[in-house]
Amino acid sequence: MQRRDHIRLMADYNQWMNSRLLEAAASLDTAALSADRGAFFGSILGSLNHLLVADILWLKRFATHPTGFMALAPVQQMPDPSALDQTLCPTLDEVRALRNTLDATILDWSKTLTESDLDVALAYRSTKGVPATRNFFALLTHFFNHQTHHRGQITTLLSQAGVDMGVTDLLWRIPNLDEAP
């Protein structure tokens, strides 16, 4: 599997898992979604918002890639988040709307990536203003790993609230080569 195909797989998995996560979260009322459960970002809603914030920050950084990535234009128009724990969307419906927009953008953008795009050294600044230059493919790996990390926390919080997420494994999105297309 080429690296660009791996990124496309991760974008597909990201969209699939976020859709399932939001569907599971919708079975809870506002109080349960907002209850501080001791997670890094407090509540289920706080954790969902953190993922939105982080995705916007990273996608804006990725938009500075020399290729330009026109598919990221919708994210470039969004306001810059001010903090990693910022509540961008106070309700689950608002989270769902922004999440769907971001996930569609990520999936569309992933289809435009080429192998040579992945070899670029991308310069950016952290949220604290610290400059860094890192391999673009490694940054994309971090981007998707970060989402998986916090979705894992959210699935635990949902489980503690009595909601079963069911299957969450990437394996279910990897094509089975023994099956005909």
Side-chain angles (χ1 to χ4, degrees), residues 80-99:
D80 292 339
S82 59
L84 294 175
D85 62 352
Q86 181 179 354
T87 299
L88 297 175
C89 300
T91 69
L92 189 61
D93 285 342
E94 290 173 279
V95 168
R96 184 188 316 273
L98 182 52
R99 181 77 268 161

Side-chain angles (χ1 to χ4, degrees), residues 9-166:
L9 173 64
M10 296 308 298
D12 170 75
Y13 173 69
N14 175 67
Q15 185 178 49
W16 178 71
M17 272 304 303
N18 284 334
S19 174
R20 296 185 69 246
L21 194 68
L22 291 169
E23 182 180 321
S27 68
L28 298 173
D29 62 25
T30 302
L33 290 169
S34 301
D36 188 338
R37 299 176 183 275
F40 293 159
F41 296 92
S43 66
I44 293 168
L45 200 54
S47 298
L48 290 168
N49 269 281
H50 170 68
L51 281 173
L52 295 171
V53 166
D55 284 3
I56 290 169
L57 289 171
W58 278 110
L59 291 170
K60 283 177 172 274
R61 291 171 185 156
F62 296 159
T64 68
H65 188 284
T67 301
F69 298 131
M70 292 307 301
L72 295 179
V75 178
Q76 289 178 288
Q77 303 305 315
M78 295 178 184
D80 292 339
S82 59
L84 294 175
D85 62 352
Q86 181 179 354
T87 299
L88 297 175
C89 300
T91 69
L92 189 61
D93 285 342
E94 290 173 279
V95 168
R96 184 188 316 273
L98 182 52
R99 181 77 268 161
N100 288 343
T101 297
L102 289 174
D103 288 348
T105 299
I106 293 165
L107 194 58
D108 290 344
W109 168 60
S110 74
K111 295 172 185 173
T112 71
L113 293 170
T114 66
E115 283 295 315
S116 61
D117 290 336
L118 302 176
D119 293 324
V120 168
L122 188 74
Y124 66 95
R125 291 190 175 273
S126 74
T127 56
K128 295 181 181 178
V130 177
T133 303
R134 292 195 167 92
N135 172 270
F136 188 59
F137 178 70
L139 291 173
L140 289 172
T141 301
H142 164 73
F143 175 69
F144 289 112
N145 186 64
H146 178 262
Q147 294 171 10
T148 300
H149 166 70
H150 286 291
R151 278 195 305 261
Q153 291 176 334
I154 296 167
T155 60
T156 297
L157 299 177
L158 287 167
S159 178
Q160 291 169 354
V163 179
D164 180 8
M165 270 295 299

